[in-house]
């Protein structure tokens, strides 16, 4: 039996496992939109933590983060460290009130939560839904591209095949079980992701001769690879790190992740879910950095004659037996699918609940929206230029800048009028886009910092300019 056949059999076995788990979860469903979108707000903290980890650590960690670290070296650790600290901070100060307030005002989507479930003026819900569909849809497309790249690296298949396979897997169980299917499969996928990443880390470090030898060879290849401070920072290291901390805090603008806080069975269990998530995050991110650095030593020609984003699958092919390559490939697809399914469900919720509220309680139309969004995302992925890192990173910053500040204010029960809310969203996303595309300053300060700051500044200015009520005395 050929190597590729063995890899394919192992890979397909895992895909079938994910599909079976997702479809089986449908046996626990109730045929209503609350169950389809929020799993009845009854998910235990272990499943919540595992699902949040799998959803946050997308195919980008296997593909684009490793590709970036392959080129930049050890200095990429600050991106992941800042990201983790900001993300962890959000768990402390936003997730719990989001869970409590969303239940109080009976919000089933992030858009309805941002709109404070107001029926009279739905401008915030509609604008936030359009932003979600546009940018989260692009982000989901980036995940499918990551899957396509993995299959290309292992089998030499066209990217389009992997993209289509990922979309089919997502629709199989999301269409049948909604967010419960997403969460259940996330938990299984989280285990596969962690195992595959740690296995390749151990093998690749050993192939380099240990950590000491790896470090020596990196220095010999390029001293910049072991320089902890990124070069050419226009505004200094402090603001650079702060901007990536804000990037991590930008999780508050990611509907597909924040909805995990809304499905938890009780806000009292938020600490346990948070700690499960944090431990997995730290281990997984450290492993990704180690693998990327080992890849730079073991397959150095990707820097000039290849695609650094293919470092992980290519190294797996060189170092591992066929069966374990199949496991690695399954790990990459686990990351892809666990994020893409959540993003597609969030987009479909925005479409069926926020843009067309007259369909809000139709279970069948909610499922039809999921199918529609999947087709849109698939089209974007097939038509893109396959630059996953750029596509995913800006989608994250756009969502963080547009939705993040408003979600924090809503979670803290701060009053926000529809006009101010819409201005905050549009102002934040405009500043982020200008910072990135016009000023070109994102390499020194990631655009989430100025983008989210703009949204908060708009809110503060509106507060100061708001006419004060005259005293009756």
């Amino acid at each position: 039996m050929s190597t590729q056949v063995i890899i394919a059999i192992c890979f397909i076995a895992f895909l079938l496992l994910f599909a079976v788990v997702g479809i089986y979860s449908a046996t626990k469903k109730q045929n209503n939109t609350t169950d389809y979108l929020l799993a009845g707000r009854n998910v235990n903290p272990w499943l919540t933590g595992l699902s949040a980890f799998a959803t946050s650590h997308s195919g980008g960690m296997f593909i684009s983060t490793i590709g970036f670290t392959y080129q930049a070296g050890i200095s990429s650790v600050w991106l992941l460290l800042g990201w983790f600290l900001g993300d962890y901070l959000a768990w402390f100060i936003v997730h719990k009130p989001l869970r409590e307030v969303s239940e109080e005002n009976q919000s089933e989507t992030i858009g309805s939560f941002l709109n404070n479930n107001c029926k009279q003026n739905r401008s915030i819900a509609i604008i936030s839904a359009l932003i979600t569909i546009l940018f989260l849809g692009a982000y989901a497309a980036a995940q499918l591209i990551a899957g396509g790249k993995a299959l290309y690296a292992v089998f030499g298949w066209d990217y389009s095949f992997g993209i289509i396979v990922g979309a089919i897997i997502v629709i199989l169980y999301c269409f049948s079980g909604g967010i419960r299917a997403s969460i259940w499969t996330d938990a299984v996928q989280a285990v596969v992701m962690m195992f595959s990443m740690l296995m390749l880390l151990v093998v690749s470090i050993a192939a380099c001769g240990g950590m000491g030898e790896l470090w020596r060879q990196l220095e010999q290849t390029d001293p910049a690879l072991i320089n902890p401070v990124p070069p050419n920072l226009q505004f200094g290291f402090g603001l650079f790190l702060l901007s990536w901390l804000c990037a991590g805090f930008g999780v508050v603008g990611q509907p597909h992740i924040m909805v995990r806080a809304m499905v938890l069975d009780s806000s009292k269990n938020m600490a346990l879910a948070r700690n499960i998530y944090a431990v997995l995050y730290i281990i997984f991110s450290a492993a990704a950095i180690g693998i990327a650095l080992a890849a730079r030593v073991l397959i150095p020609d990707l820097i000039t004659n290849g695609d650094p984003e293919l470092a992980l699958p290519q190294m797996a092919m060189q170092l591992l037996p066929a069966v374990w390559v199949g496991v690695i490939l399954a790990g990459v697809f686990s990351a892809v699918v666990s994020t893409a399914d959540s993003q597609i469900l969030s987009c479909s919720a925005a479409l069926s609940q926020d843009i067309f509220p007259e369909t809000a309680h139709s279970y069948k139309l909610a499922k039809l929206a999921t199918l529609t969004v999947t087709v849109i995302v698939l089209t974007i992925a097939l038509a893109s230029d396959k630059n996953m890192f750029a596509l995913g990173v800006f989608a994250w910053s756009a969502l963080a800048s547009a939705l993040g500040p408003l979600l924090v204010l809503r979670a803290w029960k701060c009053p926000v009028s529809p006009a101010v809310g819409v201005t905050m969203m549009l102002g934040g996303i405009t500043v982020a886009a200008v910072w990135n595309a016009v000023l070109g300053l994102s390499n020194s300060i990631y655009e989430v910092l100025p983008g989210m700051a703009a949204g908060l500044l708009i809110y503060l200015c509106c507060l100061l300019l708001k006419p004060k009520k005259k005293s009756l005395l």
Side-chain angles (χ1 to χ4, degrees):
M1 191 177 294
S2 70
T3 298
Q4 287 206 344
V5 171
I6 295 173
I7 294 172
I9 291 173
C10 184
F11 172 60
I12 291 170
F14 277 100
L15 293 188
L16 290 175
L17 172 63
F18 303 151
V20 167
V21 170
I23 293 171
Y24 175 73
S25 72
T27 63
K28 307 297 181 181
K29 72 180 180 181
Q30 299 177 25
N31 292 333
N32 56 64
T33 55
T34 300
D35 190 80
Y36 188 75
L37 299 174
L38 292 178
R41 298 186 193 268
N42 196 33
V43 180
N44 71 59
W46 279 93
L47 282 175
T48 300
L50 286 167
S51 177
F53 162 74
T55 300
S56 299
H57 286 74
S58 61
M61 187 64 76
F62 280 95
I63 301 297
S64 60
T65 300
I66 286 180
F68 178 76
T69 303
Y70 180 98
Q71 299 173 79
I74 196 66
S75 63
S76 70
V77 71
W78 298 113
L79 278 66
L80 294 177
L81 177 62
W83 203 295
F84 168 72
L85 293 175
D87 193 342
Y88 199 53
L89 178 64
W91 274 88
F92 270 100
I93 65 177
V94 179
H95 288 58
K96 185 175 181 179
L98 169 62
R99 171 64 180 82
E100 295 170 344
V101 176
S102 66
E103 185 171 27
E104 286 175 14
N105 63 23
Q106 299 181 328
S107 298
E108 293 186 353
T109 68
I110 293 296
S112 65
F113 178 78
L114 296 176
N115 200 60
N116 204 26
N117 215 12
C118 176
K119 308 298 183 183
Q120 290 73 36
N121 189 324
R122 302 191 57 261
S123 55
I124 289 178
I126 293 171
I127 296 300
S128 66
L130 292 173
I131 291 171
T132 297
I133 292 169
L134 177 61
F135 290 101
L136 201 58
Y139 201 171
Q143 304 312 312
L144 298 182
I145 291 169
K149 284 194 171 189
L151 289 187
Y152 168 78
V154 175
F155 298 114
W157 295 338
D158 188 84
Y159 286 174
S160 300
F161 183 80
I163 290 170
I164 293 170
V165 168
I168 291 173
I169 294 295
V170 167
I171 201 62
L172 268 178
Y173 60 79
C174 281
F175 190 74
S176 59
I179 199 169
R180 178 177 282 104
S182 174
I183 290 170
W184 282 31
T185 53
D186 281 354
V188 177
Q189 290 160 353
V191 175
V192 177
M193 289 164 59
M194 184 64 74
F195 176 79
S196 58
M197 189 70 91
L198 290 177
M199 175 180 62
L200 188 56
L201 173 68
V202 172
V203 172
S204 61
I205 295 297
C208 291
M211 284 299 299
E213 182 62 18
L214 169 62
W215 198 261
R216 188 191 68 78
Q217 291 187 58
L218 286 170
E219 184 177 21
Q220 189 176 41
T221 301
D222 184 354
L225 293 173
I226 60 171
N227 185 352
V229 180
N232 305 318
L233 297 178
Q234 291 179 255
F235 306 103
F237 178 74
L239 277 177
F240 169 79
L241 183 58
L242 177 62
S243 71
W244 284 99
L245 188 147
C246 288
F249 190 77
V251 70
V252 297
Q254 314 304 316
H256 63 297
I257 300 175
M258 297 307 294
V259 74
R260 265 62 190 162
M262 295 169 65
V263 305
L264 185 62
D265 55 6
S266 170
S267 61
K268 296 177 182 178
N269 291 327
M270 193 65 71
L272 176 57
R274 177 184 69 231
N275 291 334
I276 293 168
Y277 171 82
V279 170
L280 294 173
Y281 191 125
I282 292 170
I283 295 172
F284 192 80
S285 299
I289 291 175
I291 289 171
L293 296 176
R296 184 61 188 269
V297 168
L298 297 172
I299 44 175
D301 57 322
L302 289 181
I303 200 70
T304 55
N305 188 29
D307 184 353
E309 289 194 345
L310 299 179
L312 181 141
Q314 288 199 7
M315 192 161 63
M317 290 285 289
Q318 288 189 19
L319 299 178
L320 297 174
V323 171
W324 296 116
V325 174
V327 175
I328 293 292
L329 194 58
V332 176
F333 250 75
S334 296
V336 167
V337 173
S338 64
T339 301
D341 60 8
S342 305
Q343 292 167 331
I344 286 172
L345 282 170
S346 290
C347 288
S348 69
L351 178 63
S352 64
Q353 309 294 303
D354 300 326
I355 294 181
F356 300 108
E358 60 274 11
T359 69
H361 299 293
S362 172
Y363 177 65
K364 290 182 179 179
L365 289 177
K367 295 177 74 173
L368 179 60
T370 300
L371 183 60
T372 302
V373 169
T374 304
V375 172
I376 294 171
V377 168
L378 178 60
T379 302
I380 294 172
L382 292 173
S384 76
D385 63 0
K386 309 301 182 284
N387 187 341
M388 187 202 163
F389 188 76
L391 186 62
V393 167
F394 185 72
W396 177 282
S397 61
L399 290 163
S401 301
L403 309 184
L406 182 56
L407 185 137
V408 173
L409 294 175
R410 288 298 195 205
W412 292 349
K413 297 185 176 181
C414 299
V416 183
S417 71
V420 172
V422 169
T423 305
M424 287 175 63
M425 289 189 290
L426 298 180
I429 204 169
T430 299
V431 169
V434 170
W435 190 270
N436 180 302
V438 179
L439 300 179
L441 297 173
S442 295
N443 287 334
S444 296
I445 296 179
Y446 186 36
E447 63 264 15
V448 170
L449 175 56
M452 293 189 74
L456 291 173
L457 184 61
I458 289 170
Y459 178 71
L460 292 175
C461 289
C462 291
L463 276 183
L464 293 174
L465 296 174
K466 183 179 179 180
K468 295 183 179 180
K469 293 181 179 180
K470 294 182 180 180
S471 173
L472 296 177
L473 297 176

